[in-house]
Amino acid sequence: DSTVVRSEVEEALSGVRNYAIQKPNTRFLGVRLRKIVYCISNPEKNRFPHSWFRKVGEAPVVISEAKTQNTMNQITTLLKTKGCFGSQVSYEIKERHGKDASMIYHIKPTLRYKIDEVNYVAKTAEVAPLLEQ
């Protein structure tokens, strides 16, 4: 049934957002206020208010290829641990207004493999009763 398959894949992908290594700047009422405060400061000046702006503000997040690859590897590992072997993960960068961009990960999970039966074979007669327990 396709709904069962869909729910299994959704279950496998639950919490996938937590695996993103690179997080965007925080927003307050739709505005990246802490980034604006940080950018107001002059990095060459280490006295008040510039040092305070840098302390309270949030440095702009710069997209890193290495962090993006690490995130893709972590998502792939997550899918493997959930039984979705052979899944594909890719990404694209969508540029928005000027220097702003967003990272979009495309995940194509496979169906989950399930263990149908497990058989244990004992090489010695002493081990066989232990395996049956």
Side-chain angles (χ1 to χ4, degrees), residues 95-106:
E95 290 189 30
R96 292 188 281 175
H97 342 299
K99 296 180 181 179
D100 283 349
S102 61
M103 182 73 64
I104 299 171
Y105 291 94
H106 300 283

Side-chain angles (χ1 to χ4, degrees), residues 35-130:
K35 181 177 108 175
I36 293 169
V37 169
Y38 184 90
C39 291
I40 291 172
S41 73
N42 184 343
E44 295 175 3
K45 298 182 179 177
N46 287 326
R47 61 182 194 276
F48 185 82
H50 300 281
S51 60
W52 184 79
F53 286 150
R54 284 191 300 277
K55 184 178 178 181
V56 172
E58 186 176 73
V61 175
V62 178
I63 293 176
S64 163
E65 183 74 28
K67 289 181 181 178
T68 302
Q69 289 296 328
N70 286 345
T71 298
M72 286 180 25
N73 291 340
Q74 287 199 355
I75 293 171
T76 303
T77 302
L78 168 71
L79 290 167
K80 284 180 183 176
T81 61
K82 300 293 184 174
C84 297
F85 301 103
S87 298
Q88 297 176 352
V89 181
S90 61
Y91 73 94
E92 74 175 291
I93 300 170
K94 286 231 175 179
E95 290 189 30
R96 292 188 281 175
H97 342 299
K99 296 180 181 179
D100 283 349
S102 61
M103 182 73 64
I104 299 171
Y105 291 94
H106 300 283
I107 303 170
K108 292 182 184 175
T110 58
L111 294 178
R112 292 176 82 175
Y113 283 78
K114 294 183 180 178
I115 298 173
D116 185 34
E117 186 179 323
V118 177
N119 295 316
Y120 296 103
V121 178
K123 290 187 177 184
T124 62
E126 297 86 29
V127 178
L130 296 173

